[in-house]
Amino acid sequence: NTEYVKVDLPHDYQITAQRDPNLNFRTGFYPDKSGKYVKHLNLDSGKHYILDVDGAYANTDVIFNEHYLTTHHHGYTPFLTDLTAKVVAGITNKLVITTDPLSDSTRWYSGNGIYRDVFLWEGGNIRIEPRDIFVTTERLEGYDAIIDVAYTVTSDKDSDVKINFKA
């Protein structure tokens, strides 16, 4: 039996470790060790699920229902992972995120773990996915603005789509 400790995100699992003056100053004299985060989820079939990790340091693996999905090596950039194909409705799905730091990878203490927000986006067969909508201000005149909206519509099926925007 694995015993879990409940944590709130963002979280740095290394900051509470015992420091060792014989270790490299670049790691803040903390030992390099990996961490594991586990979340149990009840999800519906017929929906689309995207995991959005804003920051995890580093070499982050995503495993969902015992299926390896991705590794994200860059500790300072966000990433998305599509969970949809591995969702099993009617059971508790298991999400595991592990981080494994790189020794001497930075000039300062980077921390280890999931250090920014994590979101689970739920959508339908036709959707605008995270980071697929862009809004820019073309012109400002007093309290009025002209804006430009660009977006990408993603679909799991062939279908005509009508999108309405209201100001």
Side-chain angles (χ1 to χ4, degrees):
N1 268 346
T2 303
E3 205 170 300
Y4 298 110
V5 175
K6 185 176 180 176
V7 298
D8 291 321
L9 298 181
H11 177 256
D12 178 350
Y13 61 81
Q14 189 166 340
I15 197 71
T16 59
Q18 181 67 38
R19 297 170 90 178
D20 182 345
N22 298 314
L23 295 175
N24 191 321
F25 72 92
R26 290 182 180 166
T27 64
F29 303 102
Y30 288 102
D32 286 334
K33 64 178 186 175
S34 62
K36 180 188 286 190
Y37 296 87
V38 177
K39 179 74 174 173
H40 294 91
L41 304 162
N42 293 313
L43 304 173
D44 298 324
S45 62
K47 295 192 178 177
H48 200 92
Y49 295 97
I50 296 176
L51 178 70
D52 181 352
V53 179
D54 280 347
Y57 197 84
N59 292 318
T60 303
D61 290 333
V62 176
I63 298 167
F64 188 64
N65 288 333
E66 307 302 325
H67 297 278
Y68 164 82
L69 297 183
T70 193
T71 297
H72 185 76
H73 295 290
H74 312 288
Y76 299 114
T77 58
F79 66 96
L80 302 172
T81 305
D82 193 333
L83 305 179
T84 307
K86 302 301 179 190
V87 169
V88 180
I91 70 161
T92 300
N93 294 263
K94 183 178 179 183
L95 173 65
V96 178
I97 299 174
T98 60
T99 62
D100 191 14
L102 296 168
S103 294
D104 298 332
S105 64
T106 184
R107 290 178 288 188
W108 55 84
Y109 175 71
S110 61
N112 284 308
I114 300 174
Y115 66 90
R116 290 202 176 143
D117 291 330
V118 175
F119 301 97
L120 182 62
W121 298 100
E122 178 185 300
N125 289 329
I126 301 169
R127 64 201 167 275
I128 297 175
E129 293 192 356
R131 302 190 187 115
D132 279 352
I133 189 164
F134 304 93
V135 179
T136 55
T137 303
E138 297 293 323
R139 189 173 69 240
L140 284 173
E141 294 177 9
Y143 290 104
D144 296 326
I146 304 296
I147 62 169
D148 181 57
V149 178
Y151 55 88
T152 301
V153 175
T154 302
S155 177
D156 296 333
K157 60 183 181 178
D158 290 332
S159 181
D160 290 332
V161 177
K162 181 179 180 182
I163 297 177
N164 294 316
F165 285 98
K166 295 184 180 185

